[in-house]
């Protein structure tokens, strides 16, 4: 495309401390959140005639961590197509050549709020169980594609007011280093499983731990294990759930085991004490039954030893959840991931720049030829908050990488089934 024509297609607008340079089809930009990678805006897309979310990634190739995450996210978003995983509608860069390449913009379906806001609400069992069911469906789909998330948290799960839910990101790469002995840097770790905190091997049900923490937070309206760092977080885990068995200790590597065995010993509390009846709506016999089912599910998810923790399939079959079971959602065919070495890649900044740029160009090429990824089904006119005015509350303060920095407002959650 000729340079002049391309330039005419874009315009720039200041959003908070950042400048968004976007295609003219995207109008009425308003900040709705921010994360480790950058700012997210809502906008109206005059081509698709709908509201969208646009995330700006500035110099996504700037270092190994940013580049790997941006590239991985882009490749996976292009492959995955499930109603409980955020869908990519468009990706573009305003720069014209690889040499000039600086910023990447991801255009996604627009949702109304992240789970941090929902956690503040008093949810009934219907909504709570439906949100958990959808989270589990999304996780199961990722697992089917060989993606184990390991870093699910409320800020990376978004909902609409009709109670539909989508997971926003793809978690940690297999090769990502985590663990008790690592230098702390600012990320939210409250939801990370013991096997991640303690640097052990992990299996798919590592993600169930996060679902348990999120469910507990929805019930308590407080973070379950609010550690200042991994060490403090481990203390919070054992204070409530009790010191794990000797059998578990034997699975730890020597240095971590020495640390864990030398902590004070805690008996922990029963789940009736941790999640008493007053936390649940229990005004009718039906609600009393649901409350005991909810507590039972929590007790099966929040198990320190992963070999004794419920699996995703078992959780989907649990009586609290299986009322929503739909094989089309639970067993959707897994996506084929185009880049088989996705998690192993190590590159220089220049190589990452080229790889990411190529992925953006590949999208342009594919969409030019009319090959567009399937449109997610759930964004229809029936959804109440699809007017741009109501879904685009400006963010008052936008710091990076804390859960308090995402401030779209949740309207009352309706349950759609
Ligand atoms: P991220 O940079 O992907 O971690 O997103 C940061 C925050 O922006 C999230 O916690 C949400 O509050 C908001 N956000 C991101 N993507 C969307 C979206 N597609 N719809 C609505 N809000 C979003």
């Amino acid at each position: 495309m000729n340079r002049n024509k391309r330039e005419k297609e874009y315009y720039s607008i200041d959003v908070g401390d950042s400048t968004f340079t976007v295609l003219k089809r995207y109008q009425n930009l308003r900040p709705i959140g921010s994360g480790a990678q950058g700012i997210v805006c809502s906008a109206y897309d005059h081509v698709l005639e709908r509201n969208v979310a646009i995330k700006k990634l500035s110099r996504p190739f700037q270092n190994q961590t940013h580049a790997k995450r941006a590239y991985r996210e882009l490749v996976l978003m292009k492959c995955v197509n499930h109603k409980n995983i955020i869908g990519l509608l468009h990706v573009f860069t305003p720069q014209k050549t690889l040499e000039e390449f600086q910023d990447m913009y991801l255009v996604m379906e627009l949702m109304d709020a992240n789970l941090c806001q929902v956690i503040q609400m008093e949810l009934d069992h219907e909504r709570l169980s439906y949100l958990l069911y959808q989270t589990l469906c999304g996780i199961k789909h990722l697992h089917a594609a060989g993606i184990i998330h390991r870093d699910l948290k409320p800020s990376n799960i978004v909902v609409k007011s009709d109670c539909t839910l989508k997971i926003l990101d793809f978690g940690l790469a297999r090769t990502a280093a985590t663990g008790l002995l690592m230098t702390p840097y600012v990320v939210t770790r409250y939801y990370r499983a013991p096997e991640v905190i303690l640097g052990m091997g992990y299996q798919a049900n590592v993600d169930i731990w996060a679902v348990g923490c999120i469910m507990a937070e929805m019930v308590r309206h407080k973070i379950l294990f609010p550690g200042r760092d991994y060490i403090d977080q481990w203390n919070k885990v054992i204070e409530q759930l009790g010191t794990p068995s000797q059998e578990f200790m034997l699975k730890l590597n020597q240095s971590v085991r020495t640390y864990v065995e030398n902590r004070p010993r805690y008996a922990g509390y029963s789940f009736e004490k941790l999640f008493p009846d007053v936390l649940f709506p229990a005004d009718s016999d039906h609600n009393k039954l649901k409350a005991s089912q909810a507590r039972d599910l929590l007790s099966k998810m929040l198990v320190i030893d992963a070999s004794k923790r419920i699996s995703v399939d078992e959780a989907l079959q649990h009586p609290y959840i299986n009322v929503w079971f739909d094989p089309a959602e639970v067993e959707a065919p897994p996506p084929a991931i185009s880049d088989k070495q996705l998690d192993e890649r190590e590159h220089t900044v220049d190589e990452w720049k080229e790889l990411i740029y190529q992925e953006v160009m590949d999208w342009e090429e594919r969409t030019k030829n009319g090959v567009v990824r399937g449109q997610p089904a759930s964004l229809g006119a029936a959804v109440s908050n699809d007017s741009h005015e109501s879904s685009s509350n400006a963010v008052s303060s936008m710091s990076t990488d804390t859960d308090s920095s995402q401030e779209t407002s949740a309207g009352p959650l309706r349950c759609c089934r």
Side-chain angles (χ1 to χ4, degrees), residues 1 44 53 57 103 144 146 181 188 197 206 213 239-240 247 249 252-253 256 267 333 370-371:
M1 184 187 301
Y44 184 76
L57 287 83
D103 308 315
L181 306 177
T188 308
I197 300 178
V206 64
C213 295
E239 278 162 27
Q240 294 183 67
E247 185 192 345
M249 302 290 188
L252 299 170
N253 82 37
V256 177
V371 187

Side-chain angles (χ1 to χ4, degrees), residues 32-38 40 53 55 69 73 86 108-114 117 154-156 158 168-169 406-408:
I32 54 167
S34 71
Q37 296 166 294
V40 184
K55 176 153 86 175
R69 176 154 178 204
E73 180 169 350
I86 201 77
M108 303 162 276
E109 310 158 64
L110 178 68
M111 303 293 280
D112 291 329
N114 66 33
Q117 286 114 12
S155 59
N156 287 339
V158 278
L168 269 186
D169 75 329
Q406 293 92 31
E407 298 186 7
T408 43

Side-chain angles (χ1 to χ4, degrees), residues 108-126:
M108 303 162 276
E109 310 158 64
L110 178 68
M111 303 293 280
D112 291 329
N114 66 33
L115 268 196
C116 303
Q117 286 114 12
V118 176
I119 280 164
Q120 316 299 325
M121 300 165 62
E122 292 291 338
L123 295 176
D124 57 21
H125 288 296
E126 194 184 17

Side-chain angles (χ1 to χ4, degrees), residues 237-281:
V237 170
I238 56 176
E239 278 162 27
Q240 294 183 67
L241 300 183
T243 302
S245 66
Q246 195 53 31
E247 185 192 345
F248 177 81
M249 302 290 188
L250 292 173
K251 297 178 194 170
L252 299 170
N253 82 37
Q254 193 53 56
S255 54
V256 177
R257 195 198 312 173
T258 306
Y259 171 79
V260 169
E261 282 183 334
N262 284 312
R263 305 302 309 145
R265 298 196 73 77
Y266 293 95
Y269 297 93
S270 69
F271 275 76
E272 281 73 22
K273 277 254 161 55
L274 291 171
F275 302 101
D277 280 344
V278 290
L279 293 178
F280 298 95

